[in-house]
Amino acid sequence: MEHGSHSDQSKSTFSLADEDHTFANSIRFTLNQDPRVTFCGYSIPHPSDNRINIRVQTTGDPAREALKDACQDMMLICQHVRGTFDKAVSDFKKSNTMESDDSE
């Protein structure tokens, strides 16, 4: 859900359900890496409401595009972290298997 002036798409507040500080802080960090973003912040309206509000202001590009791009960037980052973790687990298991084979 988006609030704000329809005439100026460079400033918008997005309200996302079923999210908390984990997603909000990550997306805020990612958005602040974007040179098009002049301001980004988030709030949680009430602790019992599982919802976050994200405010995005850009240099002129639609705020919706900046948020979408940040979500895609976060997805790639998560995929990279997952791949790195899975490889480390696999390498660890292989090295432990070799060590136990050597000791027999």
Side-chain angles (χ1 to χ4, degrees):
M1 185 168 142
E2 186 178 347
H3 304 287
S5 168
H6 291 289
S7 60
D8 187 358
Q9 295 184 358
S10 69
K11 299 176 182 131
S12 295
T13 299
F14 303 90
S15 185
L16 304 176
D18 298 324
E19 293 297 347
D20 58 17
H21 287 285
T22 304
F23 178 78
N25 196 36
S26 299
I27 201 70
R28 180 196 58 79
F29 177 84
T30 306
L31 277 160
N32 279 321
Q33 303 303 304
D34 188 331
R36 300 173 296 174
V37 175
T38 57
F39 174 82
C40 176
Y42 77 89
S43 64
I44 295 184
H46 192 273
S48 66
D49 187 11
N50 200 17
R51 170 177 301 283
I52 61 172
N53 294 329
I54 302 173
R55 177 71 176 175
V56 180
Q57 293 175 204
T58 70
T59 55
D61 289 359
R64 176 187 300 262
E65 290 300 313
L67 180 63
K68 185 181 84 167
D69 291 348
C71 288
Q72 289 175 333
D73 288 347
M74 267 187 48
M75 198 168 61
L76 292 172
I77 291 166
C78 289
Q79 288 170 350
H80 174 73
V81 169
R82 178 62 187 257
T84 302
F85 177 79
D86 288 347
K87 183 181 181 321
V89 169
S90 175
D91 291 349
F92 178 78
K93 286 179 179 177
K94 284 179 191 170
S95 70
N96 279 354
T97 302
M98 284 188 236
E99 287 175 15
S100 63
D101 288 347
D102 292 343
S103 63
E104 289 178 7

